[in-house]
Amino acid sequence: MGTVGDAANKDTNGSLAEKKPTVVFVLGGPGSGKGTQCANIVQHFGFTHLSAGDLLRAEQKSGSENGTMIQNMIKEGKIVPSEVTIKLLQKAMEESGNDKFLIDGFPRNEENRAAFETVTQIEPAFVLFFDCSEEEMERRLLSRNEGREDDNIETIRKRFKVFLESSLPVIQHYESRGKVRKIDAGRPIEEVFESVKAIFTPKNEKAE
Ligand SMILES: Nc1ncnc2c1ncn2[C@@H]1O[C@H](COP(=O)(O)OP(=O)(O)OP(=O)(O)O)[C@@H](O)[C@H]1O
Ligand SMILES: Nc1ccn([C@@H]2O[C@H](COP(=O)(O)O)[C@@H](O)[C@H]2O)c(=O)n1
Ligand SMILES: [Mg+2]
């Protein structure tokens, strides 16, 4: 697995590529429940959950040279350049010791998608798509109460616009390749997870 813009970084990259990791991209609008369901999947199916948004927030708080840029992009609901996000994802994958990953909130646009494919040579096993109405997502985000700087109505509207214009085309890209597993995410958490479980449970273990 190569690092963005750094073809010489072969040692650490090689070890991850050799593991041939299983990657599931977890996509859906802001507040569709990606993080909530990923936590359940981790408990039941042994994946490591990597939220691109969480990694960017941690990078911002770490005092990194990219901190101010990341903070501004998040406040505006804009997508951070792929180079930054992919480096964070690669590092987290390598440090995890696992070979099964839920990559939540990534790829968010075509640039994210193409760069990850070029740099890592990893194709997702499938894409889990949490489909939810804007009305419901807005309700959830406004009552999330986690102190996120982007959970205000002004930024939420910007995030919805970016989702429609930049993220949905990525889902359509994978849809045309038969890789999308779409879930009705507008239902209660437990009901949504029943549908998620059916996707992750191997066919030979499913009840008749
Ligand atoms: N099915 C659901 N029904 C009602 N509330 C939910 C449901 N799923 C998640 N929530 C709540 O909605 C809020 C957003 O959920 P979550 O953080 O999982 O969404 P997300 O897709 O990761 O959002 P973001 O893209 O902003 O990170 C949380 O407060 C969560 O507890
Ligand atoms: N691939 C990504 C993912 C996220 N961001 C930025 O982080 C914000 C919050 O993301 P959540 O998934 O936690 O909602 C998002 O609005 C973007 O500003 C990104 O740039 N690239
Ligand atoms: Mg989230």
Side-chain angles (χ1 to χ4, degrees), residues 9-154:
N9 195 0
K10 289 217 170 71
D11 281 342
T12 45
N13 297 332
S15 59
L16 181 57
E18 279 158 24
K19 282 185 190 162
K20 295 200 189 327
T22 299
V23 165
V24 174
F25 289 145
V26 183
L27 301 177
S32 56
K34 301 180 294 295
T36 302
Q37 295 299 330
C38 283
N40 287 334
I41 299 166
V42 165
Q43 285 194 342
H44 283 74
F45 299 100
F47 279 73
T48 292
H49 172 211
L50 301 177
S51 155
D54 286 351
L55 289 170
L56 288 167
R57 281 183 286 276
E59 179 71 0
Q60 178 215 314
K61 287 182 186 129
S62 75
S64 127
E65 57 179 1
N66 290 317
T68 306
M69 179 274 289
I70 293 171
Q71 185 174 26
N72 290 336
M73 298 298 265
I74 289 179
K75 190 85 215 315
E76 288 303 311
K78 291 183 180 162
I79 310 298
V80 171
S82 303
E83 177 174 342
V84 173
T85 314
I86 292 174
K87 274 188 183 149
L88 295 172
L89 285 169
Q90 283 183 300
K91 184 162 177 280
M93 288 168 85
E94 281 155 7
E95 287 174 357
S96 73
N98 201 351
D99 61 358
K100 289 162 58 173
F101 302 97
L102 300 168
I103 301 194
D104 162 0
F106 184 98
R108 217 46 166 244
N109 61 11
E110 174 58 21
E111 191 216 359
N112 273 184
R113 187 199 66 71
F116 186 83
E117 199 177 298
T118 303
V119 169
T120 68
Q121 302 289 307
I122 293 171
E123 262 285 311
F126 59 88
V127 173
L128 198 57
F129 169 35
F130 290 112
D131 188 28
C132 192
S133 70
E134 273 193 15
E135 196 186 20
E136 174 64 14
M137 294 193 291
E138 184 178 306
R139 212 178 359 254
R140 291 179 189 176
L141 292 174
L142 289 175
S143 55
R144 180 154 56 182
N145 276 331
E146 284 179 6
R148 274 179 54 164
E149 280 195 60
D150 54 351
D151 280 351
N152 58 79
I153 193 61
E154 196 187 331

